[in-house]
Amino acid sequence: MKKQLHLIFLLCFLPVGILWAQQKNIRGKVTNEDGNPIEGVTIKIKGHLNALAQTSETGEYSIDANTGDVLLFVSMGFANAERTISDQNMINVIMTADLTNLDEVVVVGYGTQKKVNLTGAVSTINSEQLERRPVVSTSTALQGLAPGVTVTSQSGAPGGDQGSIRIRGVNSFGGSDSEPLVIIDGVAGSLDNIDANLIESISVLKDAASASIYGSRAANGVILVTTKRGKDQFGINYKGYTGWQDPTFIPKVTDGATFMKVFNDANMNDNGSVIYSDKDFEDFNKLYAENPDNFDWQKAILSGSGFTHNHFLTLNAGAEKIRVAPSVGYVSQDGLIKNTGFKRYTFRNNMDINPNDKLNIRFDLSAVNTNRTQIANEGTIWNYIGRMPTNIPIRVADGLWSEGWVKNNPVAFIEDGGNRKVNNLELIGNLSINYKPTEWLSLTGMAAPRYRTRNIHDFAKAVMTYYEDGNEAGTALPSTELTESAYRYFNGSYSIQGTAQKSFKDHNLSLMIGASRETYDEKYLMGYRRDFTYDTYEVLNAGADTETKNNAGNQYQWLLASTFGRFNYDYKGRYLLEANLRYDGSSRFASANRWTAFPSFSAGWRISEEPFMANLKNSINQLKLRASWGKLGNQNIGNSYYPYIQTLEMGSISVGGTVEQMIALNTMANQGLLWEETTMTGVGLDASLFNHFTFTFDWYKKHTDGILLKLYISELFGKNAPFQNAAKVQNQGWEASVRYDNQFGDFKIGIGANISDVRNKITDMAGQTQGTLLRQQVGYPINSIFGYVSDGLYQSQEEIDNGPTQFGTIKPGDIRYKDIAGGFDENGNVIPDGKISDADKVIIGNTIPRYTYGFNLDLGYKGIRFGAFIQGVAKVDGYLDSHYVIPAVNSSAIKPWQLDYWSEDNKNASLPRVSVTSTNNTQNSDFWMRSASYLRLKNVQLGYEIPKSWLANSKIGGIFIYANGQNLFTKTNFYEGYDPEINYNSGAPDGVSLGAGNFYPQVKVYTFGLDFKF
């Protein structure tokens, strides 16, 4: 009993003893070459795990250390400084400017490396680049910041503006995951579930040399996120902004009289008669004059406030041995339409415990709770924003909802049509212990559980609409219905690793070996009812207890076990070599194919460290050549957690008047399925010049093999064909970035630019093709656009008679298509076959951007700061059809640019004749394809930092106020009123959707913010 009491006593008072342990206290001040204090310089004891210190706004610091310890002073924009402790208690340091950051440390897989020693292709993004942009979804903040990284975001919806990230092209199709792996402080997670204010840095691992340490999940690249940690000083920081949102692109529409005129012209073309009489025009004009707002569908739809505000509060506290950094965040967005919005609550506490120089314990906790509210079937609302006939009123007599278009009244849906509410809760714990028994050996163990829930409440109400006389017109939905869905996810991440570093004269070696185990468990439960007696009571039991009710449930699990290692060698810091190997075993594949090795090799030559370059050191600060080869994997293939097993289909069948349960195997299984493998080769060049310029260039080629296809099998088998690893894709490209930083007295300037080029091509599909408008075909990029080649408009009946047979009834003003499907003459020219058919369709466009680029400008003068950021893509195509762009289709509203349609008086028109019945002009063709290239002023910020002299007698450490604008300007040749990123659709199998424009628009965001430090 006494031993137990002693143990409890020690456990209770150990932290106090740790805090009271005394070392020699070193104080001092850190200044630049002009004598000005430098704030935020990190000080640590070299070679140990001691707690960090940081300089205050006056440049002062305090740290406990022993005689003989070496203090390391690190700050962005300055060369690292080292000071050895002897018998002094005061050490002042002057740091010299070094804007090329040769000593910058970069986070890589399972560790860190000096940037100058990297042999892989790694792009880094610091916290300042993220914090200056008022984004809720961190993924969208990566747009244009790193070469080789393409981010597309179709929607500006609150809680739905996440970006789709592609690193060095698209590797796969057919539903396989193409998103990169995101690791947050060593734990796999979502980039959009972490507040950008929490991020210290982001490393993007783009090639096999840097990413192969993550093996079977690294084929699409890896994004490593490092969060901010506590320092050895007390501080409170508040960051907040408030503002509003406006749509960037909304299709403008003409008035009701114009609408009626166009449809009269269309009916004259089709039937030789008009739809609307002179009296119809008079009646409309009268009603419109009485209440024009009753016909302004867009104004009524876009009635939300768009108000947004974001608040983030963090505390920093440390007592040498223990450091904490708790933070809370809250963001709220109101939608552009009523009854929509998003709220996110975040909490995170990063704790570091350093009992001694050999032991470091990290204990991190985070919680994220999000609530997103939408209109039920919200896509319908955006489908009609540029479509609703403008001669139809919103309300009829007594304020009743009009029938709209075929009983679809989007304003009624917003007000009374129900809602869709999605709640996500994520809890993550991360316990990491690092023990350094000797100076050259470090041992680390980590356990990180991640628990998530997702609950979806989908309540769609049948809204009654009325004719002008007040009689009921009916409802668009047959009945009110409710679906409740619940998901529960649990991820377990566990790893151990050891790192040994040793130097022998001019030889430096490092060896890291580790093992990990990752588990995944998902449960799904759903309930459905319809025919609600009380449609304001949104619970399942309020629905009809009849045979129409439904429920479902399922569970999925997988396990990934891995061993991994990395070996680094350099000679005199001049010749660099790195080798990585990961050996993965995944439960998602049959036992015979479960384990695979993923190796990589890379080398570097720091030419600038050669003796013959010594005289050029002031002009060529750093010059390094790199080369790499490696193999990566993708276990997330297809849409199944067990792609090698085809599950049994459950159902029922009527036998003799009795319903019997039925189980059937409808699809064949393929036990030989393997994960996709990507092999990548690359070379690169890094340069730092004149202490102000940095330059990076990379060229790469990567091949992905084993993409899933369903190949033809004989119908005699009686089952559907299984997936096989049959397709191949190649990505080849280059990327470059350049940066210039300088300071002239109080004036600071920073200019950066990056550009990347990727050429994507399917190289093998086992003789097959897939898709109609969106096409997969050998020799062309993934998700190419497939259709007819247009050849202008027919101008006369004679041209039609002499042309090929086309679709439906052809008249002057219709689109003429090229007949290219006949035989070939002796010169290889096509001999037309006289008809337009599927054989005349060809690849007409590409949905993958060939070029992605970004440009940023940072200026500062005393307390004034100005930043601007431009982002864009080039050589990419988009496509819209149907009522979005074709005039008079589906009784759609008429856009002003659609008035330039063909007629006998307007034969040089840009659009074909208007018609309600034509099937010829609605065919998929390049006539409706447009360039989706764009240049966008992504962000502009102007701010002012209050002089510290004004705050000298207060406890305030700094105040920064600013105004910010997001997505203020876009230059594009895409369709007026539609965003050029329209092709992207995260819900589509391959992340791309063509034809429709029924999406929440991108938004301009105007904000005013405050950064307050205590």
Side-chain angles (χ1 to χ4, degrees), residues 372-478:
R372 183 183 181 190
T373 302
Q374 297 173 265
I375 302 302
N377 303 310
E378 189 173 291
T380 304
I381 308 298
W382 300 110
N383 183 37
Y384 284 101
I385 190 146
R387 178 182 180 181
M388 285 304 298
T390 49
N391 67 327
I392 297 176
I394 299 170
R395 293 179 183 269
V396 293
D398 299 324
L400 301 174
W401 296 117
S402 77
E403 63 173 328
W405 190 86
V406 194
K407 305 177 184 60
N408 287 281
N409 186 318
V411 182
F413 293 159
I414 292 172
E415 297 284 353
D416 299 325
N419 58 77
R420 175 182 168 86
K421 297 178 180 179
V422 181
N423 171 261
N424 288 284
L425 175 63
E426 180 180 76
L427 303 172
I428 300 178
N430 188 347
L431 175 63
S432 175
I433 301 175
N434 183 283
Y435 179 61
K436 201 174 179 71
T438 66
E439 187 177 346
W440 57 270
L441 179 62
S442 177
L443 305 174
T444 302
M446 184 192 75
R450 179 187 179 200
Y451 177 77
R452 293 176 292 153
T453 63
R454 179 178 177 85
N455 294 288
I456 303 174
H457 171 91
D458 208 334
F459 186 66
K461 292 173 62 176
V463 181
M464 182 59 66
T465 61
Y466 298 85
Y467 296 116
E468 291 185 14
D469 59 7
N471 290 322
E472 290 185 354
T475 63
L477 288 175

Side-chain angles (χ1 to χ4, degrees), residues 121-172:
V122 180
S123 290
T124 57
I125 300 167
N126 61 46
S127 58
E128 291 182 359
Q129 292 172 285
L130 299 172
E131 291 172 0
R132 68 180 56 150
R133 298 173 62 179
V135 296
V136 174
S137 297
T138 303
S139 57
T140 60
L142 298 186
Q143 273 191 320
L145 294 183
V149 180
T150 302
V151 182
T152 52
S153 178
Q154 179 190 51
S155 172
D161 60 349
Q162 300 88 353
S164 172
I165 303 174
R166 298 292 182 265
I167 298 176
R168 291 186 167 181
V170 180
N171 295 337
S172 185

Side-chain angles (χ1 to χ4, degrees), residues 895-909:
K895 290 83 173 175
W897 58 269
Q898 290 179 319
L899 294 174
D900 187 23
Y901 52 83
W902 191 95
S903 68
E904 289 293 342
D905 298 326
N906 187 26
K907 292 190 174 184
N908 293 322

